[in-house]
Amino acid sequence: MGAVSAASPSNPSDAGSPGWLAPIVELVAAADADLASAYPEGPGEPQPIHTVYLSAALADAQIPGQWGVSALALAEHHDQVLAALDAHGALPRVKERLAIAPIQDLRLDFEDGYGWREDSTEDIDARRAGRVLRALSIDANPPAALGIRIKGLTSLHLRRSVRTLELVLDGASGVPRGFVTTIPKFRSLTQVEAALRLFDTLEQVHGLPSGSLRFELQIESPQAVLGADGTVPLAKAIHLARGRLTALHYGTYDYSAACGIAAEYQSLEHPVADHAKAVMLAAAAQTGVWVCDGSTQVNPDGSPEQQAAALTRHHRLVTRALERGYWQGWDMHPGHLVTRWLATYGFHRRALAVAGPRIVAYLQRQGGGVVDEPATAQALAAGVLRGLDCGAYTDDEVAALMPGCNRAVLDQLVQRTTIGGMTGGTDQR
């Protein structure tokens, strides 16, 4: 091989030469800009731990309090069962949460949970739903998010869905804080285009702030995961939605049925469910769009033994989902709140005990049994913040385990920016 010329990009002294490097700099800058636009990381707000679905026919501003009372009564009745599930001392904190703010995210359902009713009846229910959502949004302990699920954007449902949405907004006198619309039965990117045009038009016609109408897509069909052309429509939908899309919600039973799974085997832990949710998680990663697990049809009703079995089952399903990175799931019964909060708090308290020493060792560069990389430190810090945000533990508890490590330090670890570590300014990236 001949000698390397002075003009060669292999010559380190020539690495900054504008003559040959400028076009490459432009390409890399364009790639960086495209990636930053498509993958902005997070939405800047904590993800709720659940979404409660309730028929819009039952809409009432007292629902959170009523569900909390019912959940607490069930918890007291099955205190021994829950104590056996509570390996991390979270149950007292769970009961406090159920008494104060049991529901983080609420959808009033005009689809499967509501059914087909006379137009005049749905009109009345839609206006009332709007008033209820407005009242809840200004409550002393409001849900972090709330909204409705419409019937969908199909030829059969479109006019009814649009009318319901308009009447809900009319009843709410605008867009309540945290409002989102769930669009079920997503199967085609054209439905996303229709949603964008619909929301643009509604904002213009009704004088609403631009971008204030946000939506979620419910993944209930295999066609959303694998299209006829071999691509992943739900992944394309995320980037087509221009920031209006907030979450992907898994529809357990519609999806399983569409895949031909026998009814008795349809569940959140069936392999087809795991596959669909794994694709959702990969598609939404670093986009700021949340992934939400589906529901279980097993409620803690019936005999005491049936209630105890359902509570134990739901606790296991929630824990399983958390282990797989699904931080949010559907709750369809007040009793689900008990095990949702218990499993979530227990998961995060266990994770904190593991993450704390590893974050301290990382910041102090002490090594130890596990030597973590920046990406792992980022994940550890994100997990601690997630537990703080949902109330699994307090800032004081974090500080006791990780002296000097506050929320600001954790935020910087998540952002992978330069921080002053506990050892006095160690550069962490």
Side-chain angles (χ1 to χ4, degrees):
M1 181 179 293
V4 177
S5 70
S8 168
S10 299
N11 187 337
S13 64
D14 225 27
S17 170
W20 62 266
L21 192 58
I24 301 174
V25 169
E26 291 180 6
L27 286 174
V28 172
D32 288 345
D34 289 343
L35 288 169
S37 175
Y39 301 99
E41 294 289 345
E45 55 189 276
Q47 182 174 1
I49 71 160
H50 66 174
T51 298
V52 167
Y53 269 79
L54 178 73
S55 171
L58 303 175
D60 190 304
Q62 305 303 314
I63 285 297
Q66 293 169 356
W67 274 49
V69 168
S70 296
L72 274 172
L74 189 68
E76 293 297 337
H77 188 69
H78 292 282
D79 198 62
Q80 290 185 342
V81 173
L82 298 174
L85 296 173
D86 181 24
H88 304 282
L91 189 54
R93 194 181 300 267
V94 168
K95 291 180 178 179
E96 291 176 7
R97 165 64 74 162
L98 294 174
I100 298 171
I103 296 177
Q104 273 202 323
D105 190 4
L106 174 67
R107 289 303 163 276
L108 299 178
D109 189 15
F110 286 94
E111 203 224 4
D112 287 349
Y114 182 81
W116 283 100
R117 305 181 187 226
E118 293 289 338
D119 281 341
S120 58
T121 300
E122 186 160 339
D123 288 352
I124 293 170
D125 287 342
R127 288 192 177 93
R128 186 178 72 254
R131 294 192 296 270
V132 167
L133 293 175
R134 170 63 66 183
L136 287 172
S137 72
I138 59 175
D139 188 72
N141 291 297
L146 40 72
I148 63 170
R149 178 169 69 167
I150 57 176
K151 284 183 168 62
L153 298 182
T154 65
S155 297
L156 177 62
H157 302 123
L158 179 62
R159 286 175 175 79
R160 181 64 258 180
S161 292
V162 172
R163 179 166 177 79
T164 294
L165 177 56
E166 286 195 280
L167 290 176
V168 167
L169 294 172
D170 182 58
S173 301
V175 183
R177 183 200 54 77
F179 182 79
V180 64
T181 300
T182 306
I183 300 176
K185 308 295 191 289
F186 166 63
R187 299 178 69 190
S188 166
L189 289 175
T190 307
Q191 292 171 308
V192 176
E193 295 171 356
L196 295 174
R197 185 169 298 186
L198 170 63
F199 293 152
D200 283 343
T201 303
L202 287 177
E203 288 170 353
Q204 294 169 11
V205 170
H206 293 277
L208 302 174
S210 177
S212 60
L213 294 177
R214 305 178 301 163
F215 67 96
E216 304 159 331
L217 290 176
Q218 197 163 357
I219 309 305
E220 301 176 87
S221 302
Q223 294 85 0
V225 174
L226 184 63
D229 60 356
T231 63
V232 181
L234 66 86
K236 292 185 176 182
I238 291 171
H239 302 285
L240 177 65
R242 303 200 307 267
R244 285 193 188 269
L245 179 64
T246 63
L248 303 174
H249 285 227
Y250 179 65
T252 310
Y253 301 100
D254 285 65
Y255 192 94
S256 299
C259 287
I261 308 304
E264 63 181 307
Y265 296 107
Q266 295 174 6
S267 79
L268 291 171
E269 52 192 344
H270 191 281
V272 300
D274 284 339
H275 172 260
K277 290 181 287 188
V279 173
M280 291 163 62
L281 201 65
Q286 298 179 311
T287 64
V289 172
W290 295 327
V291 171
C292 180
D293 200 7
S295 64
T296 174
Q297 84 280 37
V298 180
N299 293 333
D301 287 326
S303 68
E305 293 75 19
Q306 290 171 320
Q307 292 176 9
L311 289 169
T312 301
R313 181 179 188 274
H314 188 247
H315 185 274
R316 176 176 59 78
L317 288 173
V318 175
T319 301
R320 182 182 189 274
L322 293 169
E323 290 170 351
R324 285 155 178 76
Y326 312 126
W327 307 113
Q328 183 179 2
W330 283 15
D331 288 330
M332 311 289 286
H333 185 281
H336 288 156
L337 300 184
V338 179
T339 36
R340 173 72 60 183
W341 285 107
L342 184 63
T344 301
Y345 279 4
F347 177 90
H348 287 302
R349 291 177 73 84
R350 180 178 70 249
L352 175 65
V354 173
R358 289 174 66 177
I359 290 175
V360 170
Y362 178 82
L363 290 171
Q364 297 180 343
R365 297 297 196 191
Q366 289 179 349
V370 179
V371 180
D372 290 313
E373 296 185 358
T376 305
Q378 180 186 39
L380 292 168
V384 175
L385 288 172
R386 195 175 287 114
L388 276 171
D389 288 334
C390 74
Y393 37 75
T394 65
D395 290 292
D396 289 342
E397 288 175 286
V398 172
L401 186 63
M402 297 180 283
C405 186
N406 55 26
R407 183 179 286 267
V409 173
L410 294 169
D411 281 333
Q412 289 175 309
L413 281 175
V414 169
Q415 296 161 14
R416 295 176 77 167
T417 55
T418 302
I419 65 174
M422 293 183 206
T423 54
T426 302
D427 186 25
Q428 307 289 344
R429 295 185 185 273

